[in-house]
Amino acid sequence: LSDGRLVTVNQGGVQETLVSGLGANFQTVFAEGANAAADKRLLCFNGNDAVRVTRGTAATTATIANPAADWTGTNQPTGGVLHNNRMFAFGNANDQHRLYYTPTTNHEDFTGAGSGSLPIHAGEGERIVAGFSLYGRLFIFKFPFGIYWLDDSSVTVANWVIRRLTNRVGMTGPLGITGIEGDAAFWGSDGLVHILSGVQELGDA
């Protein structure tokens, strides 16, 4: 909520506060995840506060167990997305062109074995603002322009490659994209709605 609270709503429609005292008026992005035991996790990103996680049906929330080393103070990721059983995060103000990822076994672990980060064409656009998993690929969007995808077809993480889809359009924030019947529609930084497959085939709108 805009007052810095995370709340859940029970079946009776009553709000129950998970945590209060977070930064007010920050856009919040939620991403579903899990751990090796398949216990559900709900991660919360807002770019100002340490990433929060609600575990299972707990009535409280906590900071994630192992944030990336450079997520300090108010330099926190603005969004996250689940792709190929890893959690990916992005948008911290002190490294706005970097994509972070967890191992497949724990979506709270950005520092342990199997975790890491990738630079995303740092000379292009201003910052990463969104991610979306589609067609078995992770698409990364920058503001004001730049769409990229992660080639993670190799089982060896060191062989992963970031490839540019287009540098003619981007996005303004993490919530402007949705899946539509095997495709995705997104609100571009040019103020127009684009179809991801059209961008892929034509190189622009």
Side-chain angles (χ1 to χ4, degrees), residues 26-27 29 45-49 51 68 70-81 88-101 110 117-120 126-131 140-143 172-174:
F26 284 95
Q27 179 174 253
V29 175
F45 306 85
N46 72 5
N48 179 77
D49 299 284
V51 180
D70 54 347
W71 296 354
T72 59
T74 57
N75 291 313
Q76 303 294 336
T78 57
V81 59
F88 291 80
F90 49 82
N92 45 301
N94 57 342
D95 202 343
Q96 295 186 332
H97 298 274
R98 185 167 295 277
L99 182 69
Y100 302 79
Y101 59 87
F110 288 88
S117 67
L118 296 164
I120 311 295
E126 292 184 14
R127 60 188 181 275
I128 299 171
V129 295
I140 303 299
F141 298 79
K142 285 189 180 184
F143 172 83
T172 57

Side-chain angles (χ1 to χ4, degrees), residues 127-202:
R127 60 188 181 275
I128 299 171
V129 295
F132 196 78
S133 183
L134 186 70
Y135 312 132
R137 292 178 175 175
L138 177 62
F139 292 90
I140 303 299
F141 298 79
K142 285 189 180 184
F143 172 83
F145 56 81
I147 304 176
Y148 311 85
W149 60 277
L150 171 64
D151 183 352
D152 57 351
S153 57
S154 173
V155 296
T156 303
V157 174
N159 293 334
W160 288 0
V161 178
I162 300 295
R163 303 189 186 279
R164 184 197 299 117
L165 186 64
T166 181
N167 61 1
R168 300 189 184 188
V169 67
M171 284 179 62
T172 57
L175 302 178
I177 187 168
T178 187
I180 51 166
E181 298 184 4
D183 209 323
F186 67 94
W187 197 292
S189 55
D190 55 5
L192 303 176
V193 175
H194 302 264
I195 301 298
L196 189 57
S197 62
V199 172
Q200 182 172 347
E201 293 169 2
L202 304 178

